[in-house]
Amino acid sequence: MTGSTAVDSFVIVLDNLSKLVDEIPPANQPARYGNTSFTVWHTELVSRSESMIESLLPPDKSSLSAELAMYLNASFGHEIRRDYGSGHEATFLILLFCLLKVGAFEEADLKLIVLRVFVKYLEVARKLQTTYWLEPAGSHGVWGLDDYSFLNFLWGSAQLLDSKDITPPSVVSSDQVLKDWSDEYLYVDAIRAIKRVKKGPFFEHSPMLRDISEVREGWPKINSGLIKMYRAEVWGKLPVVQHTLFGSIFKFDE
């Protein structure tokens, strides 16, 4: 299977997982967060994940489908706690790395992996969060970037490295920028998503993002800072990495 075909196939897999949400409506329950129907959805994911992964792999790598399915299973939230956070997102990143490592994706597909596969994954993750009201896992509240995601800010700032038209302050202050560019740039879309969910002045519910928007050196400085932050706050935190899955492809190196 060529890399471009694998990109198309993975988008179809994620589309099917999105449709599965439509088939499993949220249960009527007194608690707002952690709807029990997410566990039902996750059970269905687990029952299908191995065949989904196998559809992405080169024929000579099909024996890895069970191992890689574990990453897919752990990419959308915890089925018992019914929460989602940057650790689950990081698990999806590991899955993308593994698929690249085994030849399902090609180096030429790197941009498509982000702009098509990750974007579709983000769409499904957000749908799960809002349909089943998943708890934010390990959220820093107003002192974090976002209750759930990180990579859309990191990769989104990389998209904007050379942008002269979209400035960091305009992303958080201009509704017109959000309207015109959210479908094209991950960072702009991330701000739009926050504003749709959180009410009140932006500087009150998202002070860190407001501070980032005022970095004078612009997008290059923001991007390099987010890379350092991702290393420190995600991969450098035991509560996140203690759940990391290691195997024959993504190995633990002492």
Side-chain angles (χ1 to χ4, degrees):
M1 176 178 288
T2 63
S4 57
T5 303
V7 167
D8 291 338
S9 297
F10 208 161
V11 170
I12 292 172
V13 164
L14 293 167
D15 265 329
N16 288 335
L17 290 177
S18 179
K19 293 174 183 176
L20 185 60
V21 179
D22 299 330
E23 297 171 11
I24 304 174
N28 291 322
Q29 62 181 55
R32 179 184 182 187
Y33 283 99
N35 193 278
T36 56
S37 287
F38 174 71
T39 302
V40 179
W41 181 91
H42 195 274
T43 299
E44 284 296 318
L45 164 65
V46 172
S47 72
R48 305 178 189 193
S49 59
E50 189 171 340
S51 62
M52 287 177 166
I53 292 296
E54 188 173 0
S55 72
L56 308 176
L57 295 173
D60 62 332
K61 302 293 184 180
S62 61
S63 61
L64 296 169
S65 57
E67 177 180 335
L68 297 185
M70 298 296 290
Y71 294 109
L72 186 64
N73 295 340
S75 292
F76 296 96
H78 194 279
E79 69 276 17
I80 298 174
R81 295 191 304 267
R82 303 183 193 106
D83 61 8
Y84 176 96
S86 56
H88 301 103
E89 182 186 65
T91 301
F92 189 74
L93 178 63
I94 296 172
L95 175 57
L96 295 176
F97 167 81
C98 290
L99 289 171
L100 182 64
K101 193 80 171 177
V102 302
F105 294 134
E106 299 172 352
E107 292 287 338
D109 293 318
L110 289 176
K111 286 186 178 181
L112 290 177
I113 291 170
V114 174
L115 298 178
R116 292 195 60 211
V117 178
F118 176 74
V119 165
K120 178 58 68 172
Y121 161 77
L122 190 62
E123 177 185 310
V124 178
R126 285 175 177 166
K127 188 173 184 177
L128 290 167
Q129 292 154 22
T130 56
T131 300
Y132 303 127
W133 285 100
L134 302 184
E135 291 270 13
S139 171
H140 295 288
V142 297
W143 305 114
L145 288 182
D146 181 79
D147 288 335
Y148 297 105
S149 302
F150 196 110
L151 286 174
N152 48 347
F153 294 97
L154 193 158
W155 283 331
S157 61
Q159 276 185 291
L160 293 164
L161 284 177
D162 299 320
S163 176
K164 304 299 182 185
D165 299 323
I166 304 174
T167 64
S170 70
V171 175
V172 301
S173 63
S174 171
D175 290 339
Q176 192 63 45
V177 168
L178 298 184
K179 180 180 179 181
D180 292 344
W181 300 108
S182 291
D183 293 334
E184 188 168 344
Y185 293 104
L186 280 165
Y187 197 101
V188 184
D189 172 67
I191 299 299
R192 177 179 65 175
I194 289 174
K195 287 193 170 187
R196 282 177 170 174
V197 175
K198 297 185 177 183
K199 306 303 179 184
F202 190 82
F203 72 89
E204 288 186 358
H205 60 66
S206 301
M208 183 175 289
L209 286 169
R210 175 61 182 269
D211 289 346
I212 289 173
S213 75
E214 296 175 349
V215 172
R216 292 184 179 181
E217 296 87 346
W219 294 115
K221 182 69 172 180
I222 290 172
N223 180 248
S224 64
L226 287 174
I227 291 172
K228 292 176 183 177
M229 185 178 177
Y230 190 61
R231 288 171 175 165
E233 297 299 324
V234 178
W235 293 110
K237 296 296 185 182
L238 179 61
V240 176
V241 298
Q242 68 181 346
H243 302 297
T244 302
L245 301 171
F246 297 98
S248 65
I249 306 165
F250 189 71
K251 301 178 181 180
F252 180 77
D253 186 357
E254 295 185 13

